[in-house]
Amino acid sequence: MTGVDEAVAGELLLADPVVRASRAEADRLLHPEFAEVGASGRRWGRDDMLAALPELEGGAADGPRYEVSGMTGVPLAPDLVHLTYETVIDGRRARRTSLWRRDPDAGGAWRLYYHQGTPVPEGTP
């Protein structure tokens, strides 16, 4: 599996309510230096995200789920992958970008290093 494949698989796992509800699973996927600027504009650190993830949208098995589309990835360096894609949850679209880094301290696993979501206004193609 390539780095892009591993990053895509990890990103899709993070959209899964089962993974979002499990601190251990999410912990495995987030890089120690993880940061996010969410679609709300809020800046998140790793500990904040791990604590909040089960309560955020897409975290409940019986609630709305993220619909992911158009995911593409490119390697930026041997240990860095950039993903872009769109999501829809509860009728709201966002364009998203993620950086995944291979973490030698985690046995070479690919972990989410940075994520940003930007809301897409209604009517925007």
Side-chain angles (χ1 to χ4, degrees), residues 13-102:
L13 280 172
L14 283 168
D16 184 322
V18 173
V19 172
R20 295 172 77 82
S22 168
R23 186 176 179 104
E25 287 299 309
D27 181 66
R28 183 178 62 81
L29 292 167
L30 297 184
H31 191 277
E33 297 172 20
F34 170 82
E36 174 173 335
V37 177
S40 66
R42 180 176 173 179
R43 187 166 175 78
W44 299 83
R46 184 175 192 278
D47 291 338
D48 294 333
M49 181 57 69
L50 287 172
L53 199 54
E55 304 302 320
L56 294 174
E57 283 187 309
D62 60 349
R65 293 182 178 220
Y66 280 98
E67 299 170 34
V68 177
S69 64
M71 190 175 294
T72 60
V74 294
L76 299 178
D79 293 335
L80 184 66
V81 168
H82 179 222
L83 299 180
T84 57
Y85 61 101
E86 283 197 11
T87 60
V88 176
I89 188 164
D90 212 18
R92 291 182 316 281
R93 285 175 54 210
R95 292 195 175 111
R96 300 185 176 274
T97 186
S98 294
L99 292 174
W100 284 76
R101 288 177 66 183
R102 188 188 321 260

